[in-house]
Amino acid sequence: MVKTNIENMTAEIDLMKNCLYVVKDGQITAVSAPVSGYGEYTAIWKDGKVLDILKNERVRLMGQEAI
């Protein structure tokens, strides 16, 4: 949960939560980590603002050596 103070345009975030925070037009959105624990996010920008977040998640196979 993100606590926001619209009057002061500030937000209080939980530093113990592993996630990304995106601020757009004064609104904050938390983007959680992939469920598998492996993956990547790509931000798509338009006119200087984040438009979309693309999620690409990996599935790690057990017993396989890292390539």
Side-chain angles (χ1 to χ4, degrees):
M1 183 173 161
V2 178
K3 296 179 185 177
T4 58
N5 181 326
I6 300 300
E7 183 178 305
N8 292 333
M9 294 302 290
T10 60
E12 183 178 322
I13 61 172
D14 181 357
L15 295 178
M16 297 305 293
K17 183 176 180 184
N18 291 323
C19 68
L20 298 173
Y21 293 100
V22 177
V23 179
K24 179 181 177 183
D25 296 329
Q27 299 293 316
I28 189 167
T29 301
V31 180
S32 298
V35 176
S36 69
Y38 297 94
E40 63 181 313
Y41 293 132
T42 303
I44 305 300
W45 295 79
K46 181 177 180 182
D47 297 327
K49 299 177 184 179
V50 177
L51 178 65
D52 292 313
I53 299 288
L54 300 177
K55 294 182 177 184
N56 185 7
E57 192 166 351
R58 240 176 19 174
V59 176
R60 170 117 340 153
L61 302 176
M62 301 310 260
Q64 299 292 318
E65 295 295 322
I67 296 175

